[in-house]
Amino acid sequence: MAIPEEAAIKKLAVVPVFLLTSEQGIPLPIPRGDNLILPMFLQKDRANQELTTFEKANPNAKAKISALPMNVANAKVNEMNIKLKESGKQIVTPVVGSKADMDQAVAILQKQGVSKEDIQKGLSIPVFFHKPFLTIKTPEGSRGVFFMTYQDATTAASKVQGTKPEIMAVDLTNALAQIVDDKEDRFVFYPTKAFFALMKDQKASN
């Protein structure tokens, strides 16, 4: 009885992504060759740079940056791709994180003896965890934590008394595969800084 993929992806609700949308919040993919590219940014400032570039190229288009939980953004794109199937086009959604996190993940994997070629092929969205796994208490019980940023993983490790756990890196697809393959529900994603900022904004506007 592995965790269904849908339940694993739902855990990404605490990881907002920022993407280019119409004023009504409909994602705005950018045509590139045969495909449509819709970058999903983990950092709001990177998304704002994308918006500036888009507005320069399309002065009459009305666009904004919308924040959506990663699982919701994925679901929206899947819906759009079903409609696009007949046209032969597809929306590709690279998730763009920070260069610093990518560099840290590459360094960690190289230290573990993973080849440069394998890192290039297998690492697109770095996720960090600890060896041994750090756990947090949730209403459903104790859960091992995956972190979307090296900074959050480091902060969590610094709070551990005694021997500091080693920080490891993996691609998001591998983290999700581990959640799905595990017979029990044993993992969560740590909410990103952007998630806490959005929660604060929502509270303020309510």
Side-chain angles (χ1 to χ4, degrees), residues 160-178:
V160 175
Q161 302 296 315
T163 316
K164 295 284 173 260
E166 192 184 350
I167 298 178
M168 313 291 278
V170 70
D171 188 66
L172 178 62
T173 52
N174 300 94
L176 287 170
Q178 182 161 355

Side-chain angles (χ1 to χ4, degrees), residues 128-144:
F128 302 91
F129 63 100
H130 300 83
K131 190 178 170 185
F133 254 99
L134 289 191
T135 58
I136 56 171
K137 286 188 174 66
T138 75
E140 292 79 36
S142 185
R143 297 287 183 268

Side-chain angles (χ1 to χ4, degrees), residues 34 36 80-91:
D34 287 340
L36 295 159
M80 289 169 81
N81 272 333
I82 290 165
K83 289 177 188 162
L84 279 169
K85 210 168 183 178
E86 286 162 24
S87 70
K89 286 193 186 301
Q90 182 150 34
I91 301 170

Side-chain angles (χ1 to χ4, degrees), residues 96-109:
V96 184
S98 80
K99 186 181 179 304
D101 283 332
M102 184 57 101
D103 291 347
Q104 289 287 1
V106 168
I108 290 166
L109 291 166

Side-chain angles (χ1 to χ4, degrees), residues 11-197:
K11 291 176 185 285
L12 292 168
V14 293
V15 181
V17 287
F18 298 90
L19 57 156
L20 210 56
T21 70
S22 68
E23 290 188 313
Q24 292 74 38
I26 296 161
L28 283 180
I30 298 154
R32 205 166 290 165
D34 287 340
N35 281 328
L36 295 159
I37 310 288
L38 181 69
M40 295 184 181
F41 297 95
L42 291 173
Q43 280 84 23
K44 193 177 183 180
D45 54 352
R46 283 286 285 104
N48 285 330
Q49 287 171 19
E50 181 80 1
L51 178 62
T52 306
T53 309
F54 178 82
E55 285 174 336
K56 275 183 190 156
N58 307 276
N60 299 322
K62 297 260 188 284
K64 66 173 186 175
I65 293 298
S66 292
L68 292 172
M70 197 189 277
N71 60 320
V72 174
N74 275 332
K76 276 195 182 224
V77 170
N78 288 342
E79 274 172 36
M80 289 169 81
N81 272 333
I82 290 165
K83 289 177 188 162
L84 279 169
K85 210 168 183 178
E86 286 162 24
S87 70
K89 286 193 186 301
Q90 182 150 34
I91 301 170
V92 180
T93 52
V95 174
V96 184
S98 80
K99 186 181 179 304
D101 283 332
M102 184 57 101
D103 291 347
Q104 289 287 1
V106 168
I108 290 166
L109 291 166
Q110 282 178 335
K111 201 171 138 195
Q112 286 168 18
V114 182
S115 73
K116 270 187 180 164
E117 194 188 1
D118 284 346
I119 293 172
Q120 270 180 339
K121 267 198 301 212
L123 186 68
S124 59
I125 310 163
V127 171
F128 302 91
F129 63 100
H130 300 83
K131 190 178 170 185
F133 254 99
L134 289 191
T135 58
I136 56 171
K137 286 188 174 66
T138 75
E140 292 79 36
S142 185
R143 297 287 183 268
V145 191
F146 286 110
F147 298 85
M148 295 302 289
T149 70
Y150 183 74
Q151 179 65 57
D152 284 342
T154 309
T155 305
S158 71
K159 290 177 181 162
V160 175
Q161 302 296 315
T163 316
K164 295 284 173 260
E166 192 184 350
I167 298 178
M168 313 291 278
V170 70
D171 188 66
L172 178 62
T173 52
N174 300 94
L176 287 170
Q178 182 161 355
I179 292 169
V180 171
D181 291 346
D182 217 285
K183 288 186 171 59
E184 290 165 36
D185 183 1
R186 294 197 313 139
F187 300 100
V188 292
F189 284 93
Y190 189 75
T192 59
K193 276 198 177 90
F195 176 80
F196 290 121

